[in-house]
C-alpha cells in the first residue's frame, strides 16, 4: 500500500509515476469505503483524485496555498495532509469537517461550504503575498458549477485587471449537483467536443511524445497559445487571463507535467481540466446526481436508498399541483433542483421552471423582474444560501412590495454539512425588512395552505421549513388558513409554549401529561398574532418561546418586542440557539446542547415555578 508511506504532501515527492498512479487508486478506494459508512460528497471527491495528487506533487502545501471552492471535493486532500487516520470520522459527531476548514489543518487554506468564493479569496492572498514581499504559490480550484456564481465571475474581472501571479484550475465535469447550466458551461461543452481540438490533442501527443518530451512540451505550449489566439472569443481571453486547456483531468502524468510547465508563469493562468464526476466508481459515474451526496451504502452492492418523504418533497408536490391551477406561477431554483424537491416540477412544468446556476442573488432579482411583469414567482432556496440574496430581497423585491414567495428549505440546524450550511439566520435578517412576511407550517397540509394563500395575498412572503421528513398530505387537498392567526394545539391552565416551526414537536413532547401546559403552533412570525399574545399575557399565563434559529433576532425576540409594545410583562422565557456556530454532528444532540429541545422547555417551565417532570 502506497498510502501507508504517505502522511504528508512531501511524501509524494519521492514516489515514482507508477506509485502515484497506485496512490490515486488507493485514495479512491478509501473515499468509497468511508463514504459507504458515513455518507458524504462521494462523486465530487472521486472526480478530483488525480487533480489533488498532482497538486500535492507539484506544489508545496502548506507554504503554497490550495483553495478548494465549496470544499466538498477535497476528501483526497484531507487524506494526503495528515488526516488519513481520522478520515473515517468525516462529517460525524466530533469528527473532521466534510469541507476544508482553516481551524482543522494548516493545509486547509479557506473555510468553505458556500460556492464561488475561492477566486476572490485567492486574489486576496496573492495581493497579500506580493504586498508583503513573500513568495509562494496561490492556487484556486473551482468547479464548473461554482463558476456560475457571480462572485467567481466578478473575481475573474478583478484578477484579469490586477494580474497577480495566480493559478486557477477549472475542474469541469459538466455537473453542478444537477447537470450544470449557463452559457459558459455550454461554450465549454462545445469547445471541448470540437473534433479538431480532440484529434489534435490525441494525435499530437502520440506523435510528439515519440520524438522527445521536451519538443512535446514546447509544441504543447505553442498549441495552447495558438488555441488561445484561435479562440479569441474564449471568455478568459477577454478577462485578460491566460487560458490553458482543456486537458484530461484524470491523466495524472499529464496533469503533473502541465502543472510543472505553468507553475512559474507570471500573471493569472487558468488551467481548464475536464473530469468525470464519480470517476472510478460505476454507479457514481452513471448517476453523479444521486451519488453527489449519498447517505451510507453497501460498497460491494451500492444501491440508492430513499431518504423518506421530506418537506422538500411536500413542497415539490404542492407547487407542481398549484401550477396546474395558477398559470402565472413560475418556480426558480439556484442550482438545487434535487435538494428543493423540484425534479417532478421541472419535468411537469419545464416552461415555468428556471435553474439559474449557483447564483442566489441573480435568482432573487430574476424573481423581481417576473413579479413586475405579472408572473407569480416562487423562489425555492435554502435558508443558508438565501444569505447570498439579502440585498436583492430588500432592494429589488421588498421596497416595491413585489409578490415573490420564498420557499425556504433547510431552515434550522442541518447536521452533517455543519456551520456553513445551518439555516439559522434567516428570521433575523428577514423580519427587519418592511413588507416581508414570515411563516412556518407545522405539517405538509399547512404548507399547502400557506403556499396557496401566499400566492393569493401577494407581496414578499417567506415560508420556512426544516431539513426533515414529514407526513405526506393527500393530493388535491388545499385547506384554508387564517393568515396571521396562531393555532392552539393543546389547552393549558398555567403556561403556554409558543413554538415556531420545527421545535413544535419538542413543545408537544414537553407538554405531554401536563394539563397545566398548553402548546401553540405560532406559525406566523410576521405578522405576529398579537391578539392571542395579548390575551395570554393578560390572563397571566407563563410563556416559553422556542425556535430552531439564533435566539438573537429570532421569533422570541419578535414576541418580546410585541409584549413591550403592548406594555405587558408576563413571566416569559425565550429559547433559541446561542450566539455560536454549530459544527457538523447529530441534530438532536445540538438541539439539546442549544437548549431548545423538550428537556430544555421543561427546565424553563420548572424554573418558572411549574411542577414539571424535567427528565423526558
Ligand atoms: C456541497 C454543496 O453545498 C453544493 S456543491 C454544489 C455543486 C457544485 O458544483 P461544482 O461543479 O462546483 O462541483 P462538483 O460537485 O465537483 O461538480 C452546490 C450547488 N452546492 C450547494 C450550494 C448552493 N449555493 C451556494 C452559494 N453554495 C453551495 N455550496
Ligand atoms: Mg462540476
Amino acid at each position: 500500500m502506497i498510502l501507508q508511506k504517505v502522511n504528508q504532501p512531501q511524501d509524494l515527492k519521492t514516489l515514482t509515476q507508477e506509485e502515484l498512479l497506485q496512490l490515486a487508486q488507493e485514495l479512491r478506494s478509501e473515499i468509497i469505503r468511508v463514504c459507504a459508512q458515513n455518507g458524504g460528497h462521494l462523486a465530487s471527491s472521486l472526480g478530483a483524485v488525480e487533480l489533488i495528487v498532482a497538486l500535492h506533487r507539484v506544489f508545496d502545501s502548506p507554504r503554497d496555498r490550495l483553495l478548494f471552492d465549496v470544499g466538498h471535493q477535497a476528501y483526497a486532500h484531507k487524506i494526503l495532509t495528515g488526516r488519513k487516520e481520522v478520515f473515517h470520522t468525516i462529517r460525524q459527531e466530533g469528527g473532521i469537517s466534510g469541507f476544508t476548514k482553516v481551524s482543522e489543518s494548516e493545509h486547509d487554506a479557506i473555510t468553505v461550504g458556500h460556492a464561488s468564493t475561492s477566486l476572490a479569496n485567492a486574489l486576496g492572498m496573492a495581493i497579500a503575498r506580493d504586498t508583503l514581499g513573500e513568495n509562494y504559490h496561490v492556487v484556486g480550484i473551482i468547479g464548473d458549477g461554482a463558476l456560475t456564481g457571480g462572485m467567481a465571475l466578478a473575481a475573474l474581472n478583478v484578477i484579469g485587471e490586477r494580474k497577480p501571479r495566480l493559478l486557477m484550475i477549472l475542474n469541469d465535469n459538466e455537473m453542478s449537483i444537477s447537470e450544470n447550466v449557463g452559457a459558459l458551461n455550454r461554450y465549454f461543452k462545445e469547445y471541448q467536443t470540437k473534433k479538431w481540438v480532440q484529434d489534435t490533442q490525441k494525435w499530437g501527443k502520440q506523435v510528439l511524445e515519440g520524438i522527445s518530451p521536451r519538443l512535446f512540451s514546447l509544441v504543447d505550449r505553442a498549441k495552447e497559445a495558438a488555441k488561445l489566439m484561435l479562440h479569441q472569443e474564449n471568455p478568459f481571453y477577454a478577462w485578460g487571463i491566460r487560458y490553458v486547456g482543456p486537458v484530461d483531468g484524470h491523466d495524472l502524468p499529464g496533469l503533473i507535467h502541465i502543472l510543472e510547465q505553468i507553475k512559474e508563469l507570471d500573471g493569472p493562468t487558468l488551467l481548464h481540466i475536464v473530469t468525470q464526476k464519480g470517476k472510478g466508481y460505476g454507479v457514481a459515474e452513471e448517476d453523479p446526481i444521486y451519488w453527489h451526496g449519498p447517505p451510507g451504502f453497501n460498497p460491494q452492492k451500492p444501491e440508492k436508498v430513499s431518504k423518506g418523504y421530506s418537506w422538500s418533497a411536500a413542497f415539490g408536490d404542492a407547487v407542481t399541483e398549484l401550477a396546474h391551477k395558477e398559470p402565472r406561477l413560475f418556480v426558480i431554483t439556484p442550482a438545487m433542483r434535487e435538494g428543493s424537491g423540484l425534479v417532478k416540477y421541472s419535468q411537469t412544468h419545464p416552461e415555468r421552471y428556471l435553474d439559474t446556476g449557483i447564483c442566489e442573488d441573480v435568482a432573487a432579482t430574476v424573481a423581481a423582474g417576473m413579479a413586475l411583469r405579472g408572473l407569480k414567482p416562487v423562489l425555492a432556496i435554502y435558508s443558508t444560501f438565501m444569505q447570498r440574496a439579502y440585498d436583492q430581497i430588500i432592494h429589488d423585491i421588498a421596497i416595491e412590495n413585489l409578490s415573490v414567495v420564498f420557499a425556504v428549505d433547510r431552515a434550522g440546524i442541518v447536521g452533517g454539512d455543519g456551520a456553513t450550511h445551518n439555516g439559522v439566520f434567516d428570521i433575523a435578517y428577514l423580519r427587519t425588512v418592511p413588507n416581508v412576511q414570515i411563516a412556518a407550517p407545522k405539517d405538509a397540509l399547512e404548507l399547502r395552505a400557506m403556499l396557496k394563500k401566499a400566492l393569493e395575498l401577494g407581496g414578499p412572503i417567506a415560508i420556512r421549513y426544516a431539513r426533515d421528513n414529514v407526513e405526506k398530505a393527500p393530493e388535491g387537498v388545499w385547506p384554508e388558513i387564517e393568515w396571521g392567526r396562531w393555532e392552539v394545539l393543546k389547552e393549558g391552565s398555567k403556561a403556554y409554549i409558543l413554538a415556531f416551526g420545527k421545535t413544535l414537536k419538542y413543545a408537544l413532547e414537553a407538554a405531554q401529561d401536563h394539563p397545566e401546559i398548553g402548546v401553540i403552533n405560532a406559525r406566523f412570525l410576521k405578522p405576529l398574532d398579537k391578539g392571542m399574545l395579548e390575551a395570554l399575557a393578560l390572563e397571566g399565563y407563563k410563556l416559553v418561546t422556542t425556535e430552531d434559529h439564533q435566539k438573537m433576532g429570532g421569533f422570541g425576540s419578535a414576541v418580546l418586542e410585541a409584549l413591550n409594545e403592548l406594555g405587558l410583562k408576563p413571566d416569559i422565557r425565550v429559547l433559541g440557539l446561542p450566539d455560536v456556530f454549530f459544527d457538523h454532528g447529530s441534530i438532536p444532540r445540538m438541539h439539546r446542547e442549544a437548549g431548545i429541545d423538550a428537556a430544555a422547555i421543561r427546565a424553563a417551565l420548572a424554573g418558572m415555578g411549574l411542577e414539571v417532570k424535567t427528565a423526558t
Side-chain angles (χ1 to χ4, degrees):
M1 284 277 278
I2 307 298
L3 195 47
Q4 280 169 351
K5 296 195 291 186
V6 174
N7 295 298
Q8 289 295 340
Q10 63 266 23
D11 301 331
L12 269 70
K13 310 295 185 192
T14 53
L15 296 181
T16 65
Q17 182 163 289
E18 283 63 37
E19 287 174 325
L20 287 169
L21 289 166
Q22 174 61 27
L23 174 64
Q25 289 319 315
E26 290 173 15
L27 286 166
R28 230 174 219 109
S29 306
E30 180 62 357
I31 289 167
I32 292 165
R33 182 185 74 82
V34 171
C35 283
Q37 63 183 43
N38 296 7
H41 288 105
L42 175 70
S44 309
S45 286
L46 289 175
V49 166
E50 282 79 14
L51 170 61
I52 289 169
V53 172
L55 284 168
H56 280 301
R57 168 70 171 214
V58 173
F59 292 93
D60 297 311
S61 174
R63 184 172 60 80
D64 295 335
R65 305 311 283 157
L66 306 179
L67 292 77
F68 291 92
D69 204 290
V70 184
H72 66 312
Q73 76 288 59
Y75 288 13
H77 162 78
K78 288 192 175 243
I79 296 169
L80 293 175
T81 52
R83 287 167 277 183
K84 71 179 177 185
E85 303 308 334
V86 292
F87 180 63
H88 68 282
T89 70
I90 194 163
R91 296 169 59 87
Q92 301 306 287
E93 191 72 24
I96 60 173
S97 165
F99 303 90
T100 60
K101 191 172 175 172
V102 172
S103 58
E104 188 176 288
S105 164
E106 59 179 345
H107 294 278
D108 288 4
I110 49 177
T111 295
V112 278
H114 284 197
S116 319
T117 65
S118 62
L119 302 188
N121 220 315
L123 172 60
M125 290 186 189
I127 292 173
R129 172 199 64 203
D130 299 343
T131 306
L132 298 172
E134 293 168 347
N135 182 21
Y136 51 85
H137 293 281
V138 178
V139 183
I141 300 111
I142 187 165
D144 57 304
L147 192 63
T148 61
M151 265 194 81
L153 300 172
L156 286 169
N157 195 35
V158 184
I159 290 167
E161 203 234 3
R162 178 121 186 153
K163 293 195 184 298
R165 176 163 57 89
L166 174 61
L167 174 59
M168 295 163 279
I169 297 177
L170 170 58
N171 175 16
D172 184 1
N173 54 23
E174 298 183 19
M175 294 299 292
S176 187
I177 296 177
S178 328
E179 303 79 9
N180 199 9
V181 295
L184 208 51
N185 169 56
R186 201 176 311 287
Y187 168 81
F188 282 124
K189 219 184 273 203
E190 279 160 34
Y191 179 63
Q192 284 161 33
T193 51
K194 262 200 176 69
K195 200 84 184 68
W196 70 269
V197 169
Q198 278 187 336
D199 292 354
T200 319
Q201 284 208 324
K202 250 201 301 282
W203 176 82
K205 196 168 172 160
Q206 284 148 9
V207 168
L208 289 167
E209 269 183 335
I211 300 170
S212 98
R214 174 108 186 86
L215 179 61
F216 171 65
S217 68
L218 281 177
V219 171
D220 191 37
R221 287 178 65 184
K223 183 163 60 63
E224 296 312 331
K227 239 192 287 175
L228 191 66
M229 247 53 98
L230 282 174
H231 270 261
Q232 289 198 3
E233 80 275 13
N234 181 322
F236 299 104
Y237 182 91
W239 269 309
I241 291 167
R242 179 188 298 110
Y243 170 87
V244 177
V247 299
D248 177 354
H250 298 299
D251 170 5
L252 183 52
L255 277 177
I256 292 171
H257 167 76
I258 207 155
L259 285 171
E260 281 164 350
Q261 297 289 313
I262 63 177
K263 174 181 179 181
E264 300 305 340
L265 291 175
D266 215 350
T269 303
L270 182 128
L271 171 62
H272 179 189
I273 71 170
V274 178
T275 61
Q276 180 175 24
K277 194 160 179 174
K279 177 78 177 177
Y281 196 51
V283 287
E285 291 183 355
E286 283 147 31
D287 181 0
I289 295 177
Y290 176 83
W291 296 95
H292 166 85
F297 56 91
N298 173 347
Q300 276 67 43
K301 195 167 175 295
E303 288 167 334
K304 298 181 192 178
V305 293
S306 157
K307 300 174 193 171
Y309 190 78
S310 64
W311 276 104
S312 315
F315 162 69
D317 287 345
V319 81
T320 302
E321 266 187 61
L322 266 178
H324 288 301
K325 296 193 282 193
E326 175 46 82
R328 291 169 298 167
L329 191 153
F330 198 109
V331 174
I332 305 168
T333 175
M336 298 305 284
R337 177 183 68 194
E338 283 73 18
S340 296
L342 289 171
V343 173
K344 184 167 77 171
Y345 177 90
S346 66
Q347 293 160 350
T348 313
H349 306 287
E351 75 292 348
R352 285 184 281 152
Y353 168 74
L354 172 67
D355 177 349
T356 59
I358 312 178
C359 48
E360 288 78 5
D361 46 358
V362 169
T365 303
V366 164
M370 288 178 178
L372 280 166
R373 303 305 301 155
L375 285 183
K376 292 195 167 196
V378 174
L379 174 54
I381 190 164
Y382 283 24
S383 164
T384 185
F385 302 138
M386 189 164 65
Q387 292 158 197
R388 285 280 177 87
Y390 185 38
D391 182 54
Q392 289 73 21
I393 290 169
I394 296 171
H395 178 268
D396 301 320
I397 295 171
I399 289 177
E400 290 301 337
N401 197 20
L402 299 182
S403 299
V404 176
V405 173
F406 300 89
V408 185
D409 203 332
R410 280 24 177 218
I413 288 181
V414 293
D417 282 339
T420 55
H421 283 61
N422 288 327
V424 295
F425 307 106
D426 60 281
I427 295 175
Y429 68 71
L430 281 180
R431 75 182 186 90
T432 53
V433 181
N435 297 329
V436 171
Q437 300 188 70
I438 306 168
K442 72 169 183 293
D443 57 25
L445 261 180
E446 205 160 72
L447 172 61
R448 293 164 81 89
M450 288 181 175
L451 261 179
K452 176 170 168 288
K453 190 73 178 176
L455 289 164
E456 291 162 4
L457 283 173
I461 297 177
I463 300 171
R464 75 191 299 266
Y465 40 89
R467 176 177 177 273
D468 206 350
N469 283 349
V470 69
E471 194 179 323
K472 189 175 170 66
E475 264 192 53
V477 175
W478 293 95
E480 287 305 319
I481 190 165
E482 210 182 337
W483 196 262
R485 295 290 296 159
W486 291 348
E487 178 189 30
V488 179
L489 293 181
K490 179 175 181 288
E491 295 290 348
S493 58
K494 293 182 183 167
Y496 273 92
I497 306 165
L498 312 180
F500 186 71
K502 180 164 186 178
T503 51
L504 186 58
K505 71 179 181 183
Y506 294 137
L508 291 168
E509 187 187 329
Q512 214 168 1
D513 313 330
H514 282 284
E516 70 279 26
I517 303 172
V519 175
I520 287 172
N521 169 23
R523 54 197 178 179
F524 292 101
L525 186 149
K526 192 178 178 189
L528 212 59
D529 187 340
K530 286 185 183 172
M532 188 178 288
L533 182 61
E534 184 176 25
L536 293 170
L538 288 174
E539 286 159 40
Y541 289 106
K542 296 181 185 303
L543 303 176
V544 174
T545 69
T546 70
E547 60 197 293
D548 186 2
H549 180 278
Q550 296 303 110
K551 185 173 178 176
M552 290 159 71
F555 166 64
S557 301
V559 168
L560 292 177
E561 290 161 19
L563 289 167
N564 180 262
E565 283 165 20
L566 292 165
L568 297 170
K569 293 183 180 171
D571 194 1
I572 181 169
R573 296 292 182 279
V574 171
L575 303 183
L577 304 179
D579 187 20
V580 294
F581 286 108
F582 279 84
D583 277 338
H584 56 282
S586 137
I587 295 177
R589 191 267 306 159
M590 288 189 271
H591 281 173
R592 188 171 59 251
E593 235 176 60
I596 61 169
D597 67 352
I601 295 170
R602 284 195 174 166
L605 289 163
M608 297 158 86
L610 272 83
E611 291 294 317
V612 288
K613 297 190 300 291
T614 47
T616 55

